[in-house]
Amino acid sequence: MQNTDMAAEDLIWVRNFIDERFWKFARTYAKTAPHSYTVRDWVLDPDDNFSVMVELIRKYGRAERFYSKVYYYLYLDGQKYWTMGDPVHQTTLINRCDWGNYYGAK
């Protein structure tokens, strides 16, 4: 299920971004929707790498329904990554969870 159409340099960049970020477990949804997230403002980022990651999720991600909404999910290394669909520079967090977790109406 991995996004295989990703350019090699983008794949390396995304993996580095993921490894360098702090990911916090979302305790609010621990029983029903276990996932973690990272927040734009947790890192002073003059190069705006957070926005680059959001753009790459939307470029290489797959459109999937979450109840009445559609989000783009980037599948990589056993995890999937997504945002809530705000414009790139207004997006404040990126979520991730295991591939096998599914939320929303099928």
Side-chain angles (χ1 to χ4, degrees):
M1 185 179 288
Q2 185 135 313
N3 295 85
T4 56
D5 60 343
M6 188 179 296
E9 61 272 9
D10 289 340
L11 181 60
I12 292 167
W13 190 95
V14 167
R15 284 182 171 142
N16 286 335
F17 177 89
I18 291 166
D19 289 345
E20 292 171 0
R21 295 297 297 205
F22 170 73
W23 295 88
K24 181 175 180 160
F25 185 72
R27 289 184 291 165
T28 305
Y29 300 104
K31 293 182 181 176
T32 58
H35 71 284
S36 57
Y37 62 94
T38 189
V39 175
R40 178 188 294 272
D41 292 341
W42 286 350
V43 174
L44 180 60
D45 187 2
D47 296 326
D48 202 12
N49 288 323
F50 191 93
S51 289
V52 173
M53 181 64 175
V54 172
E55 290 169 352
L56 291 171
I57 289 170
R58 294 177 184 177
K59 178 179 179 179
Y60 293 113
R62 296 182 198 185
E64 294 181 11
R65 290 182 52 85
F66 178 79
Y67 294 100
S68 64
K69 299 196 181 228
V70 174
Y71 298 123
Y72 286 87
Y73 295 85
L74 177 68
Y75 288 83
L76 183 65
D77 301 332
Q79 300 279 310
K80 61 183 176 182
Y81 300 83
W82 74 97
T83 66
M84 302 308 290
D86 291 323
V88 172
H89 286 87
Q90 292 177 8
T91 297
T92 59
L93 65 92
I94 297 170
N95 296 292
R96 78 173 176 185
C97 71
D98 292 338
W99 283 4
N101 294 354
Y102 179 82
Y103 315 108
K106 290 188 176 185

